[in-house]
Amino acid sequence: MSFTRCATASAVLVPVCLSLSKSKAKSLLLASSGVANSQCTTARAGSVSVKVPLFKDNMYVTEERGSLYAPDYRVYFRDESGPISPLHDIPLWADEAQRLVNMVVEVPRWSNAKMEISLGEPLNPIKQDVKKGALRFVSNVFPHHGYIWNYGALPQTWENPHHVDPQTQARGDNDPVDVLEIGRRVARRGDVVPVRLLGALALIDEGETDWKLIAVDARDEDAARLRDVRDVDALMPGLLRATVEWFRLYKVPDGKPPNQFAFDGEAKDAAFAYKVVDEVHGFWRGLVRGEAGDAAGAISLANVSVEGSAARVDRAEAAALLARAPPLGAALPPPPHVDRCHFVANL
């Protein structure tokens, strides 16, 4: 079993996640001076030790079940009281006053397995997407390898498939809103990361609006210099262009046409991104209150904390749901085609 602990860094008083394994705790080094009313633990990396403040009321744990690269693989989430839904029980806002949101990491940078929060399963664990009976791995379209950012979703958001966006003229894609975290750290699957939104791209994926929010980990050493989308081009020249190319072409090796973007692929600014978040958070609130009608489809609304939700379950029931998952098994080798490089013209 692997787990993440949420800590708080100085200057930004929001939960941050430390990933540890069952056999040996491994922590990220965080600046931690000047934080009051916290408990501290010691994190080691090589010969370096630092004190990291841990807030007991903000701890998440990820528990893997099944076998990696197998259909039964799942990543469940827990807080200190037991299993939770990462979609419904992790709050959207890490620090609303500072406009920092929580991101659930589904796919670490440079990896290929297309992992996502499972909408249809109780407690919404992360699982590998399946297409036509096969586990999905994104293709390496030269010069890229796997995902070129930490990829994930914002909890407590939902892109309503019955809502036609007036600017994109396309319906929502029926998923929590996606986030591309561009900081220096390669995250771990299941990390819960406080991020600042910098901008938004409007991908039109098979006729649906699929917002891609651009963000940076609030603890990243470059975060102070990244406040809006224009800062991305200044500090990381080429990344926005590569991001548009990645999404346009990543399905071409599978025989699909290039994807399209609204706004001619222009990245909108941070203010626009936060408006998107406010909207999709509102759609989620309607979803969990049972107001979405048949748009909710087969989405599991089971949660342990959402006030007024008819799908709220008690902690014992949530624990029983997790207990029925298969035990953690040995990881399977990824299929050989995952390492293949595809040379695709920039159509």
Side-chain angles (χ1 to χ4, degrees):
M1 181 177 71
S2 65
F3 60 95
T4 60
R5 283 188 177 181
C6 284
T8 299
S10 62
V12 182
L13 296 180
V14 296
V16 297
C17 292
L18 306 178
S19 298
L20 300 90
S21 65
K22 187 175 181 181
S23 59
K24 182 180 180 181
K26 294 181 179 180
S27 301
L28 300 174
L29 300 180
L30 304 175
S32 58
S33 60
V35 180
N37 300 320
S38 64
Q39 294 185 340
C40 289
T41 186
T42 300
R44 289 189 174 273
S47 60
V48 181
S49 298
V50 295
K51 291 290 185 180
V52 179
L54 295 180
F55 282 77
K56 285 191 172 182
D57 59 347
N58 281 320
M59 181 179 288
Y60 299 108
V61 173
T62 57
E63 183 171 336
E64 296 176 284
R65 294 297 189 99
S67 297
L68 183 62
Y69 307 138
D72 67 348
Y73 180 73
R74 300 291 185 273
V75 179
Y76 288 90
F77 288 71
R78 307 167 63 106
D79 63 13
E80 286 195 311
S81 299
I84 63 171
S85 161
L87 176 59
H88 304 304
D89 293 311
I90 294 175
L92 168 63
W93 292 104
D95 186 328
E96 190 168 5
Q98 296 195 55
R99 302 296 280 173
L100 300 178
V101 291
N102 282 316
M103 170 189 180
V104 176
V105 176
E106 299 165 314
V107 186
R109 183 190 286 118
W110 313 133
S111 62
N112 296 76
K114 191 177 190 309
M115 300 283 181
E116 60 186 18
I117 291 173
S118 174
L119 296 185
E121 298 181 22
L123 300 181
N124 311 109
I126 291 174
K127 71 171 186 177
Q128 190 165 358
D129 190 26
V130 175
K131 196 89 164 187
K132 296 181 180 178
L135 294 172
R136 289 186 67 187
F137 295 84
V138 297
S139 299
N140 302 308
V141 176
F142 182 83
H144 311 302
H145 185 282
Y147 287 76
I148 61 175
W149 348 255
N150 296 312
Y151 189 83
L154 296 188
Q156 297 187 344
T157 64
W158 178 54
E159 296 191 57
N160 187 341
H162 283 193
H163 172 74
V164 177
D165 187 275
Q167 299 181 88
T168 67
Q169 293 300 303
R171 298 179 185 274
D173 74 344
N174 197 34
D175 280 322
V177 71
D178 296 322
V179 190
L180 321 175
E181 194 282 311
I182 63 173
R184 299 193 182 198
R185 172 180 171 250
V186 176
R188 292 169 57 107
R189 188 179 305 113
D191 279 356
V192 180
V193 181
V195 299
R196 176 184 300 117
L197 300 183
L198 307 173
L201 288 164
L203 177 66
I204 307 301
D205 191 350
E206 300 184 18
E208 297 176 331
T209 302
D210 188 2
W211 294 109
K212 305 298 181 184
L213 305 181
I214 302 161
V216 64
D217 186 331
R219 306 155 298 164
D220 190 88
E221 61 187 276
D222 293 323
R225 294 189 288 168
L226 289 166
R227 295 286 173 173
D228 214 320
V229 71
R230 64 181 177 274
D231 301 324
V232 179
D233 262 339
L235 193 62
M236 303 173 176
L239 179 58
L240 291 177
R241 183 174 65 251
T243 296
V244 171
E245 179 185 77
W246 194 98
F247 280 111
R248 287 188 67 240
L249 301 180
Y250 83 105
K251 291 186 177 181
V252 171
D254 301 325
K256 299 285 184 67
N259 280 321
Q260 303 299 316
F261 283 87
F263 314 118
D264 294 322
E266 175 194 358
K268 296 302 206 178
D269 63 13
F272 186 100
Y274 281 108
K275 288 178 182 177
V276 170
V277 169
D278 290 339
E279 180 177 63
V280 295
H281 182 51
F283 291 149
W284 170 82
R285 286 199 302 266
L287 177 70
V288 293
R289 287 197 298 253
E291 299 169 359
D294 61 357
I299 297 175
S300 172
L301 304 180
N303 67 86
V304 299
S305 65
V306 180
E307 295 292 339
S309 170
R312 185 172 178 176
V313 300
D314 62 31
R315 290 287 187 166
E317 185 175 348
L321 288 169
L322 176 54
R324 289 197 287 270
L328 179 64
L332 302 183
H337 70 78
V338 172
D339 291 328
R340 180 182 175 187
C341 188
H342 299 266
F343 294 86
V344 177
N346 193 349
L347 304 174

